Each structure stands twice: as C-alpha cells, then as structure tokens.
Amino acid sequence: MGERCCAAVVRVLVLQAAWALSGGQVRYSVPEEAKAGTVVGRLAQDLGLEAGEAEARRLRLVAPGRRASVEVSGASGALVVSSRLDREELCGKSAPCALRLEVLLERPLRVFHVQLEVTDINDNAPVFPAARKNLSLSENSPPGFRFPLEGASDADIGANAQLTYALSPSEHFSLEVKSKDENKISVLLVLTKPLDRETIPVHRLVLTATDGGRPSLTGTMELVISVLDVNDNPPQFNQSLYKVQLPENTSPGTVFFQLTATDKDEGINQEVYYSFSDTFSDKIQDLFKIDGKSGEIRTAGQLDFEDVQSYDLEIEARDKGTPSLSGHCSVNLKLLDMNDNAPEVWVTSLSVPVPEDASLGTVVALLSVSDRDSGENGRVRCWVWPASPFGLEATFAGSYSLVLREALDRERVSEYEVEVRAEDGGAPALRASRGLRVPVSDVNDNAPLFAQAVYTVLARENNAAGAELARLWARDPDEAANGRVSYSVWDGGVGVGGGGGAAGSSSSGGSGWRPASSYVSVDAESGRLWALQPLDYEELQVLQFEVRAVDAGEPPLSGNATVQLFVLDENDNAPALLPPAGSAAEAGGVAAAEAALALAGAGSESGTLWAWAAWGAPAGQVVAKIRAVDADSGYNAWLRYELWEPRGKGPFRVGLYSGEVSTARALDEADGPRQRLLIVVRDHGEPARSATATLSVSLLEAAEAALAAGSSSSLSAVSRSAAGVELGAGVASAATNVWLVVAICAVSSLFLLAVVLYGASRWAPRAAVLSGPGPTTLVCASEVGSWSYSQRHSRSLCVADGAAKSDLMVFSPNFPPPPPAPAAKDTQPEPSALLDTVSGNTLLSSPTRTKSFCPSRCAGFAGIRAPFPLPESDECLTGSSRCLRISMAHLHVPFEGI
C-alpha cells in the first residue's frame, strides 16, 4: 500500500507540472479500487488558492451525469476518493478510462475542468464459462486426439488480461494452446496416452487460466472426462476448417455447402448427426440451417454484405453410439458483394426558374449521389441527359453541382426536363436517375419581327372610308409584356407619291406629298390596316410607308415593315375627246385638256368636227383622226373607236384603236357632197364608258379640197399629218386638173394660186407639237394580245398632225416622287416640238430640245417594243434625283400599229 501512495504522489506532482502547459486544465490519475479517503491531488493548491481560501470560496466538485466517486475536502481543498472506483464498471474494455469533472469556485464564480484517469489494476481474475465441463472419451481413443475447450475471459485490459493456460498433471492428457488470430486463442485438450476405462474410468483434471497482472490472478475449470468402453471412434471431418464464398444475393433455402464426417465404428455407432455448436447465437441460427442427416448447410434468411461480410459456423458431428462421440469443424463463410444496390440521387438544393440571360457556370442545383455497395459496385459515375445545356461538376466525394454550360433561349426552349443519371461500376451495372424540371424565365431579348420586310397591298380606288386594307402581324416570341406588340404608322421620313401627270401635283396643293397617316391607320392591337378616306387612283397611285411594331418590354424593342400600297384603277372616267390639233382650243394648254376631261365626265357629246376629202381619193386615205383620252389607266384607258353611223358599207371607216378616219373605197359623186359620221369612243373597263364624236366630211374636188386644206385654220392636225406622202401625190394629180380648168376657164390667177398652195403644202414643214400637260395615261397591248398592267406613272407624246400608227409611251419608275422643291431649269417640260412626217416615221425635228423624266432608273417603254436602245450617254444628275434625258434627235422611231 505504501508503494501505491508513493506512486500517487508522483502522479500528482506530474499533473501539477503539466497544469501550466495544459492551459488551466488539471489532470490526475488514480488507480481503481483505491480506498475511500485516498488523496488524488491537492486541487486547491494546483488551482493557485491560498490556505483556507478553498473553504472560504466554497470549492466544490460537479460530476454531471454520473455518481461522483471523488469529492473535494472542504478543509484542505484536496481531491479525495469518496467511494469505490471500478474501471471495468466505468469504462469496460475501453482504454484509457478518463473521467471529466467540473470544479466550481464561488466568490467570484469560476469553473475549472479536471480530468481524472482511472488506471487499471489486476482486480479481475480470469473466468471460465462454466466451473465444470463433462467430457466423454472412448477408451480406444488414439493418442493425439484433440478436444476443443472453451477459454476463459478477463475483464481487465492490457497485460492484466493476457491469459496463459495450464493443465493439472496427467499422464494421459496434455494441453495445446494456439492462436487463431490476434484476438482468439484456441485451447485444445490432447490425449497423449491411450485410455483404459477399467483402470481409470473417470479422469478429473483442472484447467487453470492465469492473467499477466502483478500479482497475477487465476481462474480454474474442472474437466470431468468419462471413458466409454464401446464407441471408441468419434466422427471425423476431413479438415478442421472449411472456407466457403457465397454471393450475398443468394436466395433463402439455397444449399451452399455439404459436410461429411466419417466414423470408423459400425452399426449405430457409425450413424452421424450434424448440428451447430451450442454457442451459436439465435440470429445466426435464423440465417442458416443444417440438415442433421445429410450435413447440407443452407441459407434460411436474406444475407446482406452491407451488414455482415463473413460468418464463422462451428459444426458438430455426433454419432449415435453409447456414449455418443462427436467431431468438430469450422466453416468460414465469406459473403461476396453483389451489385444489389442501385445508386441513389438526392437533390439538396434547386434554384429555379433560370433567367434566359444567365451567365455560363450558373449553379442551378446541388445533388448528392451514393451507393451502398463496395468496390467497383459502389463506384458511381454521373452525367446529365440530355447533355446540353446543363452539365455536372463534382464538388467533393458524392456531391455534384448542376451548372449551366450553354446559353439559354426561352423562345426556343421554355422549359427543360433534365435527368441526372447515375451508374455504378458493377456487372451488370445498376442505374438510377432523378428528374428535374428547370423552367426558363423570359427577358426582353427579341424585337417584334414582321413576316415580311415589305408588304404589297392592293386597294381599289373609291373604297369606302374605314375599309380594311390588310392585316399586318409581327411575331414576338417573348412572353407576357415582353411579347405584347402594339402597331403604329410611322411618318418619319415617309411621303406619298401622287399619280401621273397633273394628278400627282394636285394631290395636296400641287406638292404631291402628304403624311401617310392622313390616308391610312393601323389598329394598335390587331395590326389591321384601315383606310381613312376613299382613294383616288388619278390622285394617288403608290403609297409607301412604314409600320412600326413595339413590344411592352423594358426596355421596349421595335421592328419595322415597309408597306407599299398600290391603288388599283377603277373605270370611273369616261373617254374625253380632244379638240382638233392646231385649233384655238389647243392653244389653251392644260386648260383645254381639263375642259375635255370635264366634258367627258359629264357624259356630253363633243361638238361636230369637220374634215374634207377629195373626189376620187383612193381607198385607205386618212381624212381625219379622232383624238380622245381617258383619265383611267391600264385596261380601263385602252380606247377603241367604232363607226356608229352610217352603218353598213359606207365610204369611210375608222381605225379600231388608232381613231384614224380613212376612206373605205374610192369616193365618187354618188356618195353625196357631205358625209356625217357618228363615232363612238369606248374604253375596255367593266362596265365600259364611252363618248361620241360627230365628224362632218365634205367631199370636194381635188383643187377645192387643197384650197380648203390650205385656207382653213381649223383644219384638224390629224388630217394634215396623216396625208403624208399620199396627200402630196393627190395634190400633184389635182394640179393637172387645175391646168385643165385653167385651160378651159382661163383662170390663170387660180392656177397661180394653186401652184403656190401646192408648193407650200409640199415643201413647208408640217407642225407637230407635244400635247399639253394633261393627265394622259396610255396602256398598250402586248405582243400576245394580253394586257400588261404597269404600276409606273406614264407620260404620252401625242402627234398633232396625223399621228403615226401608234403612240410613244415613256414610263416613270415605281417610286414615290421626291418632296417638292424648286425645279431646275433643264428639268422643266419643253414647249411642243415640231414634227415632220416622212414615210410614215415620226421624227422629232428639234435636235436640241430634250425631255427629262425623273427619276430615270426605270425609265423605258411598256406595251410596245422600241426598235432602239435608250442612249446611256445622255444620263445626268439633276438636283438630288438621277434623271434620264432623251435627246429628241434620237427618237426616230417607226412604230407598228397595235
């Protein structure tokens, strides 16, 4: 006991020295089973208290959660043992055994931590499972026969629990001890000398187990060995340890091993019965069954590698002899891990919806993946399906992040069904998946887009105000307010082009430009295009403007579309007769044309026209030309002339499309002195409109006709121009008649006058002028007889003195005219040019006069084929517009009749 006290003092000193190093925590050590009152340590002194201060400040011990086995002495402040300390009760087989105590010091209040280590002493002797064990051995058991014994156990730890075995002296038995593994010791009783039941029927031996403590303790078990006389051969296995491997997914009832034990005895002593050892737990017996007769071992329950990896089955084979003998063996069953656990995927965090403009690398979800299997069966591979636009990134073992790998577009895909798939490395591999719904939130990243960049809208003139012209639609794939589109007509920089001729200049005070919003309106919600007023083709032919679509996003985005509104002509203008060329009315210019159109619109007949024809004029001689215009265009402006009266086979006929009145046959006296012709001019509209002209043709002698043609100032320009070379030939014949008349009548003055008139009519140039600036729009037939409708504005050059067999038509392009500006000097219309008629060809006789048409990019001819290319060398720039100037000297054009 003195040695123990010295050891305790040394430990206290060591603990006090470590006090400063441990940062204020006091550590003591005390051996278990110390007597009550044993001083563990001078606690007050170690805490730095003065003598008597521990009691004054009420130094006390708190042992939370368990009964205190130590206490603080109030007078001395020492930590002493108050009750029995049993390390085995406190800590079992755990080492070291440390108790954590709290020491309270009041006035002021402070808490100190004290660690008390209870050291082990050899206070537990080895204990056998039973104090007595009965054994039966046959008298003819051979030397070397081994019988397993159950070893002892010691509650102490370390060297105090290391056991050695000894057998009481015997000439027949010895003891064999060997280690199975680090924790198990096999104790075998070995027969060293044959037994003789008649000499010693019962052997009593003592098996002693001694531990390694100082002093050592021992435990004993009495072995009572009965020697049997008859059954002297026990069952024997061919080996003492069998190793078996079994897949964990083996179904219950499967036989996985069969034991065979042999017994050399005969009869009933040879019959063997197999069973598990009595030491088997109930849990193991619920998992395995053994057939007592055949020795087959089968599974009885479901095995799981993840719970237990191996089993040690102790088997006993006992014969039916009297007394019965037994043999023993061990079956080591090792379970093989099978891939019977699929991976598991959990979503620990999900951040949705994802904005479609989210940056790459944005974390959408956090996932956790695990597999209960081991080895390759538990190695999990994860991926995302479909592969885009998301991907997985491993953060640490079993944890992944679902991140954005590609840019999102809600208009293409508004929601993703993402599946995170996991696959282990087993064969066959097991898979698991977890579905995620990732919606994409919208941002205003799409401007409204029209289906067409340019819309072509056809509207008939004289439409009702408020009529729907078209319906525009712009698609915005965004949603909610970002995709809500409103429409408006945008007037910025867009104007209106008037019709051809004077119609365009008269649309708005002669400017030809008005905002598009004064003609049309668009519904802000539906995109329907409405007409605000009736449209007039003669005023407006092409209206080009832009419609803007704006969404309600923030910021708003917009898109534009160009609308080209073409006004389709209606047959709302009747043909209007023009005054004869060279008459006083023609000198009125535009006023005369407007008067003619007004007259046609009123549906009145024109006045009587006069013409002269010579007796004997051959068939086909042109005596007059009816001129008419129609303010409409296209098919509605294509005019035809019909001789209404007299019907039947009269002496005259009228050209169906030229309006030229010519002789149908040679004129004679039977036709009378005067012919009254009623000519109807019709257009090709539906319904057709018409005008009538009365032509009075006087039949005279050739000389009189020549005199009438030379003296009359109101003679139609059509008659003079159409006569051409044929009229010259007729005058030559009339001159011969004059000479005859002069010879007969001797009227020389008349002869001289006739010669002068003949020379004047033969050699003097015939005057031809460009028609006044009337709103003439002519459309001619195509080569195959069908109609070519042109959206281009047209100008016509009309021959004043008997036009050739067709008209020259120059078309301006399909563009709105520029804003009104002071016209350049060289772009003003030139005065009427003089025309000569030579061999049926039209020659503009003023080579220095030019006619400008702007813009010129689409200038050309339509309806008839021009026999020459337009001269590119005469292109010029006039102001801000590109113009084509056609020199009159180049227009030597023989046109064929339509």
Side-chain angles (χ1 to χ4, degrees):
M1 180 60 69
E3 294 178 356
R4 290 186 179 181
C5 293
C6 293
V9 171
V10 172
R11 292 191 186 97
V12 170
L13 294 177
V14 173
L15 291 174
Q16 289 178 349
W19 165 258
L21 298 178
S22 61
Q25 182 177 4
V26 181
R27 297 182 180 179
Y28 297 106
S29 177
V30 61
E32 65 172 333
E33 305 296 340
K35 294 182 178 181
T38 302
V39 177
V40 177
R42 300 184 182 278
L43 182 61
Q45 182 178 354
D46 294 338
L47 294 179
L49 302 179
E50 299 292 338
E53 190 177 2
E55 185 176 6
R57 297 182 61 180
R58 298 185 60 185
L59 180 66
R60 58 192 178 90
L61 181 68
V62 178
R66 63 177 65 190
R67 179 177 58 84
S69 299
V70 293
E71 62 182 9
V72 178
S73 176
S76 63
L79 185 66
V80 297
V81 176
S82 61
S83 62
R84 178 174 177 268
L85 287 173
D86 188 354
R87 191 203 65 79
E88 288 72 22
E89 180 182 356
L90 294 175
C91 302
K93 299 289 285 186
S94 299
C97 181
L99 302 180
R100 297 184 180 274
L101 307 175
E102 289 186 357
V103 177
L104 296 181
L105 185 64
E106 299 181 359
R107 303 173 187 174
L109 180 64
R110 292 187 63 186
V111 179
F112 299 92
H113 296 280
V114 176
Q115 182 175 347
L116 177 62
E117 181 181 359
V118 180
T119 59
D120 183 53
I121 63 174
N122 192 19
D123 59 339
N124 291 282
V127 178
F128 286 92
R132 180 176 180 178
K133 186 174 180 62
N134 295 320
L135 301 176
S136 296
L137 291 178
S138 175
E139 63 175 335
N140 57 355
S141 296
F145 176 79
R146 288 171 173 78
F147 194 95
L149 301 176
E150 296 182 9
S153 62
D154 196 326
D156 295 327
I157 60 174
N160 296 329
Q162 292 181 357
L163 303 180
T164 59
Y165 294 89
L167 188 66
S168 60
S170 174
E171 61 179 352
H172 293 90
F173 297 95
S174 66
L175 193 65
E176 179 179 335
V177 179
K178 59 182 179 180
S179 297
K180 287 186 176 180
D181 52 31
E182 296 178 354
N183 299 321
K184 292 184 178 182
I185 296 177
S186 176
V187 181
L188 301 175
L189 183 65
V190 182
L191 181 64
T192 58
K193 184 178 179 181
L195 298 177
D196 187 3
R197 187 190 63 82
E198 288 70 25
T199 303
I200 305 177
V202 177
H203 295 265
R204 295 184 180 273
L205 303 177
V206 176
L207 178 62
T208 304
T210 305
D211 60 22
R214 292 185 180 181
S216 61
L217 300 179
T218 60
T220 60
M221 181 176 67
E222 181 182 10
L223 300 177
V224 179
I225 304 173
S226 299
V227 180
L228 303 179
D229 187 42
V230 179
N231 190 20
D232 56 352
N233 290 291
Q236 292 184 355
F237 295 95
N238 56 359
Q239 58 188 70
S240 61
L241 178 64
Y242 297 92
K243 293 184 178 181
V244 181
Q245 293 183 343
L246 184 66
E248 63 168 329
N249 59 351
T250 301
S251 60
T254 302
V255 177
F256 63 89
F257 194 70
Q258 183 174 10
L259 294 171
T260 301
T262 59
D263 194 320
K264 297 180 179 180
D265 294 330
E266 294 181 352
I268 194 172
N269 294 331
Q270 193 180 22
E271 296 181 9
V272 179
Y273 179 79
Y274 301 93
S275 64
F276 289 118
S277 174
D278 297 337
T279 60
F280 253 30
S281 65
D282 295 338
K283 181 179 180 181
I284 297 180
Q285 291 185 5
D286 292 339
L287 294 177
F288 303 98
K289 298 296 181 181
I290 186 170
D291 191 298
K293 293 183 178 181
S294 64
E296 292 179 345
I297 305 176
R298 68 182 68 238
T299 59
Q302 188 67 47
L303 304 178
D304 192 354
F305 176 85
E306 286 69 38
D307 292 338
V308 180
Q309 288 78 34
S310 64
Y311 295 90
D312 289 326
L313 306 180
E314 298 292 337
I315 310 299
E316 180 182 74
R318 183 175 296 275
D319 59 25
K320 294 184 178 181
T322 302
S324 63
L325 301 180
S326 63
H328 301 268
C329 72
S330 296
V331 177
N332 180 256
L333 175 62
K334 182 178 181 182
L335 295 183
L336 299 179
D337 180 41
M338 304 301 294
N339 193 23
D340 57 345
N341 292 282
E344 296 180 345
V345 182
W346 296 279
V347 178
T348 59
S349 177
L350 181 62
S351 179
V352 291
V354 181
E356 62 176 322
D357 60 348
S359 60
L360 301 184
T362 300
V363 178
V364 178
L366 299 178
L367 304 107
S368 177
V369 181
S370 65
D371 194 318
R372 294 184 60 203
D373 294 323
S374 62
E376 287 295 328
N377 297 331
R379 187 172 292 110
V380 181
R381 180 176 64 93
C382 297
W383 71 94
V384 176
W385 186 90
S388 61
F390 301 100
L392 281 181
E393 290 184 358
T395 53
F396 48 89
S399 296
Y400 296 86
S401 297
L402 183 67
V403 299
L404 185 63
R405 292 283 178 84
E406 298 179 5
L408 300 177
D409 186 0
R410 191 205 64 82
E411 289 69 39
R412 185 172 59 88
V413 181
S414 61
E415 184 177 277
Y416 290 89
E417 292 292 339
V418 180
E419 190 175 64
V420 178
R421 297 181 175 181
E423 181 183 73
D424 59 27
L430 297 180
R431 297 179 177 85
S433 63
R434 176 72 64 177
L436 300 176
R437 189 178 68 88
V438 183
V440 182
S441 59
D442 183 54
V443 297
N444 193 23
D445 58 346
N446 290 277
L449 179 64
F450 286 92
Q452 301 174 217
V454 178
Y455 288 87
T456 299
V457 180
L458 303 180
R460 294 186 178 275
E461 65 172 328
N462 303 322
N463 61 300
E468 182 178 344
L469 302 177
R471 180 174 296 182
L472 307 181
W473 181 71
R475 177 180 179 270
D476 193 325
D478 295 325
E479 66 178 357
N482 296 331
R484 191 179 304 118
V485 179
S486 59
Y487 304 88
S488 62
V489 175
W490 188 45
D491 285 329
V494 178
V496 179
S505 61
S506 64
S507 63
S508 180
S511 64
W513 284 80
R514 292 173 62 183
S517 57
S518 64
Y519 289 95
V520 294
S521 175
V522 64
D523 187 88
E525 294 183 359
S526 64
R528 294 182 177 180
L529 188 66
W530 309 95
L532 296 179
Q533 61 181 359
L535 301 176
D536 188 1
Y537 176 82
E538 286 70 40
E539 174 192 353
L540 175 69
Q541 296 181 3
V542 181
L543 177 64
Q544 180 170 311
F545 57 92
E546 285 191 0
V547 174
R548 172 171 290 181
V550 182
D551 59 27
E554 185 62 36
L557 302 178
S558 62
N560 297 334
T562 301
V563 178
Q564 289 184 345
L565 177 62
F566 293 97
V567 181
L568 302 181
D569 182 48
E570 292 286 339
N571 192 25
D572 56 348
N573 292 282
L577 297 173
L578 296 179
S583 65
E586 193 175 49
V590 177
E594 291 179 352
L597 291 174
L599 184 61
S604 308
E605 290 189 0
S606 62
T608 303
L609 304 178
W610 297 88
W612 292 266
W615 298 107
Q621 179 175 327
V622 178
V623 299
K625 180 177 177 66
I626 304 302
R627 299 193 307 161
V629 294
D630 195 318
D632 297 322
S633 67
Y635 208 80
N636 297 327
W638 185 32
L639 302 180
R640 60 183 179 182
Y641 302 85
E642 298 177 2
L643 183 59
W644 192 258
E645 291 182 2
R647 295 181 178 274
K649 297 182 180 180
F652 297 98
R653 62 186 177 186
V654 63
L656 181 61
Y657 298 110
S658 64
E660 295 177 345
V661 180
S662 61
T663 58
R665 54 180 171 78
L667 303 177
D668 53 22
E669 294 181 359
D671 294 326
R674 179 175 296 174
Q675 291 285 334
R676 183 177 178 275
L677 307 179
L678 182 61
I679 300 173
V680 178
V681 183
R682 300 178 186 273
D683 56 27
H684 285 73
E686 287 293 339
R689 295 179 179 268
S690 63
T692 58
T694 302
L695 176 64
S696 180
V697 181
S698 299
L699 302 182
L700 304 175
E701 295 293 339
E704 294 176 356
L707 290 174
S711 60
S712 177
S713 60
S714 63
L715 183 63
S716 172
V718 177
S719 299
R720 295 198 303 267
S721 176
V725 178
E726 296 177 358
L727 182 59
V731 174
S733 175
T736 305
N737 294 332
V738 170
W739 283 111
L740 294 176
V741 174
V742 170
I744 298 172
C745 300
V747 185
S748 58
S749 57
L750 186 58
F751 169 74
L752 295 175
L753 180 58
V755 171
V756 172
L757 292 178
Y758 170 74
S761 63
R762 177 65 181 85
W763 299 105
R766 301 297 189 263
V769 295
L770 292 172
S771 66
T776 305
T777 303
L778 300 181
V779 177
C780 302
S782 66
E783 295 177 350
V784 296
S786 62
W787 291 96
S788 299
Y789 179 76
S790 173
Q791 299 293 343
R792 301 182 176 90
H793 304 165
S794 61
R795 304 289 190 272
S796 62
L797 299 176
C798 299
V799 181
D801 237 1
K805 296 184 178 181
S806 65
D807 295 326
L808 173 65
M809 300 176 63
V810 180
F811 285 74
S812 61
N814 182 17
F815 294 101
K825 182 177 180 181
D826 56 353
T827 62
Q828 298 298 323
E830 297 290 344
S832 300
L834 299 179
L835 300 178
D836 278 345
T837 55
V838 181
S839 302
N841 296 333
T842 303
L843 173 65
L844 302 182
S845 59
S846 300
T848 61
R849 299 175 183 265
T850 60
K851 183 70 175 180
S852 300
F853 304 95
C854 299
S856 64
R857 188 157 56 92
C858 297
F861 298 92
I864 55 178
R865 187 183 300 277
F868 69 99
L870 293 178
E872 297 181 358
S873 60
D874 289 332
E875 294 183 4
C876 66
L877 292 175
T878 301
S880 62
S881 302
R882 187 170 179 261
C883 304
L884 174 62
R885 295 179 131 193
I886 305 176
S887 175
M888 297 300 181
H890 292 292
L891 297 181
H892 184 206
V893 185
F895 294 112
E896 299 178 359
I898 300 174

